[in-house]
């Protein structure tokens, strides 16, 4: 029988809840659950850490079997299954709204917690300043063969506190898309803002930017989670082809940045800070244009309806870059290739 025993005495005794939204991934879902539950059990932390799993009406996940699987962890883990499919955004929104913990974090069902990390996570929680409303770690992304693919959401090379401010809400907004690896106080979430943007696939950066307007955020340069990439994603509702999906992602990202920038600017009176925010906004637009153009094409980027003058300015910068710098870069590569061939022929 699971024994309740506190191995981490603290005057705070903050509670943490792992939220695992699932859809059509029974195997990796089990791995995600066990990666947390076994550590909770080993460290006897069931009185402070809980796991909530909500499946979004998957046809291949059986509620009875899932409850049987987690029965050894019934003191701190629970499984529910939606009767109808809500979609990822609403499913996660409802999970966060239902959380009674001091902090919660979303773990997507194809990711899992690194071994022997829960102790470090709880110590971090116990040593947080009261001003900290959220904290996050870099996203270490791995391929299915367990090789490291990339590291993103890593704005610093050491632990750092991001002070709450309108400028920082835009400057570090992009790190919100991490989802897995972001811990936050659910009571700080603006659920009306979330409700108004339920169709936006980049909802995490919308609520992360809003969190940065309310409280400080701590970045920790630690590898706590395994994020899986290049695997099958069940994004059928976002489009039938990769191009359709990326077009939605591009449009949603632009709208999320636009919305968050407008909220940030409403808090600013300084002309200098206003200019800095607008420059950060343009940079985010350009970054997304360059990362998406190979799949969706420049024509889609040009025709996207967006009223903000900063987006239109970014479009003009993007056009100049494509008309001048990219052709020149291609010409330089062709010239080098030609000269190398001539040298080899001689």
């Amino acid at each position: 029988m699971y024994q309740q025993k506190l191995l981490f005495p603290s005057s705070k005794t903050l509670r943490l809840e792992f939220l695992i939204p699932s859809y059509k991934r029974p195997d990796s879902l089990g791995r995600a659950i066990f990666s947390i539950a076994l550590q909770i059990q080993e460290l006897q932390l069931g009185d402070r850490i809980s796991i909530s799993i909500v499946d979004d009406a998957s046809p291949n996940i059986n509620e009875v079997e899932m409850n049987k699987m987690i029965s050894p962890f019934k003191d701190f883990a629970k499984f529910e299954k939606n009767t109808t499919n809500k979609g990822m955004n609403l499913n996660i929104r409802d999970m966060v709204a239902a959380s009674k913990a001091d902090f919660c974090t979303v773990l997507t069902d194809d990711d899992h917690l690194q071994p022997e990390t829960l102790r470090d996570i709880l110590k971090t929680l116990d040593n947080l300043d009261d001003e900290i409303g959220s904290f996050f770690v870099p996203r270490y992304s791995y391929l299915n063969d367990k090789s490291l693919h990339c590291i993103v959401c890593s704005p610093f090379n050491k632990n750092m506190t991001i002070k709450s401010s309108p400028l920082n809400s835009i400057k570090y907004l992009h790190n919100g898309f991490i989802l897995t690896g972001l811990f936050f106080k659910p009571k700080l979430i603006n659920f009306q803002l979330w409700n108004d943007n339920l169709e936006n696939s980049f909802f995490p950066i919308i609520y992360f930017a809003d969190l940065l307007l309310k409280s400080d955020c701590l970045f920790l340069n630690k590898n706590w989670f395994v994020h899986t990439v290049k695997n099958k994603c069940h994004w059928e509702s976002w489009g039938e082809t990769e191009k359709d999906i990326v077009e939605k992602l591009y449009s949603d990202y632009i709208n999320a940045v636009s919305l968050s920038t407008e909220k940030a600017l409403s808090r600013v009176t300084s002309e200098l800070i206003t200019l800095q925010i607008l420059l950060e906004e343009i940079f985010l637009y350009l970054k997304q244009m360059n990362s998406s153009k190979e799949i969706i094409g420049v024509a889609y980027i040009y025709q996207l309806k967006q009223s903000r003058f900063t987006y239109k300015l970014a479009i003009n910068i993007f056009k100049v870059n494509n008309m001048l710098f990219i052709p020149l870069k291609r010409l330089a590569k062709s010239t080098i290739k030609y000269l190398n061939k001539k040298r080899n022929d001689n």
Side-chain angles (χ1 to χ4, degrees):
M1 181 68 181
Y2 176 77
Q3 298 293 321
Q4 296 283 345
K5 182 180 178 182
L6 184 63
L7 297 185
F8 297 85
S10 169
S11 59
K12 290 185 177 181
T13 59
L14 296 177
R15 292 169 299 141
L16 171 65
E17 184 171 20
F18 285 87
L19 308 176
I20 306 180
S22 70
Y23 187 62
K24 290 186 177 181
R25 290 191 177 115
D27 294 334
S28 61
L29 172 60
R31 181 183 61 186
I33 295 169
F34 278 99
S35 72
I36 307 167
L38 291 176
Q39 292 189 56
I40 294 176
Q41 195 173 64
E42 179 186 358
L43 298 172
Q44 301 176 16
L45 290 170
D47 55 345
R48 294 190 58 190
I49 303 179
S50 58
I51 306 172
S52 177
I53 311 109
V54 178
D55 180 72
D56 201 17
S58 300
N60 59 342
I61 291 181
N62 184 280
E63 188 171 2
V64 174
E65 291 178 358
M66 284 300 304
N67 278 309
K68 182 178 179 180
M69 187 190 77
I70 67 170
S71 60
F73 317 115
K74 65 182 185 327
D75 291 333
F76 54 82
K78 61 180 180 179
F79 175 84
E80 298 176 17
K81 185 169 183 176
N82 296 331
T83 54
T84 58
N85 183 268
K86 294 181 176 181
M88 180 174 67
N89 197 336
L90 181 57
N91 191 35
I92 294 176
R93 181 255 180 237
D94 288 349
M95 293 180 75
V96 174
S99 178
K100 304 300 182 185
D102 300 290
F103 275 82
C104 66
T105 185
V106 177
L107 179 73
T108 54
D109 62 356
D110 56 343
D111 300 341
H112 58 277
L113 188 64
Q114 292 276 28
E116 300 181 6
T117 54
L118 195 56
R119 183 190 300 269
D120 195 23
I121 291 172
L122 196 62
K123 285 182 178 179
T124 297
L125 201 64
D126 287 342
N127 287 287
L128 282 181
D129 291 335
D130 292 336
E131 294 77 15
I132 300 294
S134 59
F135 59 96
F136 70 98
V137 294
R139 186 162 85 173
Y140 284 73
S141 297
Y142 297 84
L143 300 174
N144 283 324
D145 64 5
K146 298 183 179 181
S147 61
L148 181 63
H149 176 66
C150 64
I151 303 172
V152 296
C153 298
S154 185
F156 311 104
N157 56 14
K158 60 180 181 180
N159 297 351
M160 188 73 68
T161 298
I162 301 173
K163 302 299 292 183
S164 173
S165 74
L167 176 58
N168 282 343
S169 76
I170 304 304
K171 187 174 183 179
Y172 298 104
L173 162 153
H174 184 72
N175 296 284
F177 94 95
I178 189 172
L179 204 58
T180 291
L182 172 65
F183 299 74
F184 56 91
K185 294 177 179 178
K187 68 179 182 180
L188 292 180
I189 293 294
N190 182 340
F191 288 103
Q192 185 58 55
L193 176 66
W194 202 332
N195 291 342
D196 292 342
N197 295 277
L198 279 176
E199 297 303 315
N200 194 305
S201 52
F202 274 96
F203 61 94
I205 71 171
I206 294 175
Y207 68 65
F208 183 59
D210 187 64
L211 285 171
L212 289 174
L213 287 173
K214 298 174 179 176
S215 60
D216 295 348
C217 176
L218 180 64
F219 168 76
L220 297 168
N221 193 24
K222 297 174 179 288
N223 183 359
W224 283 346
F225 296 93
V226 173
H227 173 70
T228 307
V229 290
K230 305 293 185 180
N231 57 331
K232 181 174 176 53
C233 295
H234 299 288
W235 294 342
E236 296 93 341
S237 62
W238 291 359
E240 296 181 358
T241 67
E242 182 185 16
K243 186 174 182 293
D244 292 336
I245 292 171
V246 177
E247 283 181 355
K248 174 176 172 52
L249 289 171
Y250 177 84
S251 176
D252 286 355
Y253 183 83
I254 297 302
N255 289 330
V257 171
S258 174
L259 169 69
S260 300
T261 302
E262 289 177 358
K263 283 181 62 65
L265 289 173
S266 69
R267 308 284 187 91
V268 176
T269 56
S270 165
E271 292 182 358
L272 177 59
I273 300 299
T274 296
L275 178 60
Q276 288 177 302
I277 290 175
L278 294 176
L279 290 174
E280 291 291 341
E281 180 188 11
I282 292 170
F283 171 76
L284 290 172
Y285 291 150
L286 288 170
K287 187 174 181 180
Q288 193 69 7
M289 289 172 188
N290 285 313
S291 65
S292 305
K293 65 182 180 182
E294 295 301 326
I295 297 176
I296 64 177
V298 295
Y300 180 83
I301 294 172
Y302 293 160
Q303 70 186 16
L304 181 69
K305 297 290 189 296
Q306 176 56 248
S307 59
R308 287 189 61 77
F309 79 94
T310 40
Y311 183 77
K312 295 173 182 177
L313 180 56
I315 285 288
N316 288 327
I317 296 172
F318 180 72
K319 284 182 178 179
V320 170
N321 181 61
N322 278 277
M323 287 188 297
L324 296 178
F325 298 111
I326 292 180
L328 287 173
K329 189 183 295 183
R330 289 174 179 167
L331 178 61
K333 286 183 178 180
S334 298
T335 302
I336 292 171
K337 184 177 180 180
Y338 173 76
L339 292 174
N340 286 336
K341 184 176 184 302
K342 291 287 289 183
R343 187 182 299 112
N344 292 334
D345 291 343
N346 293 334

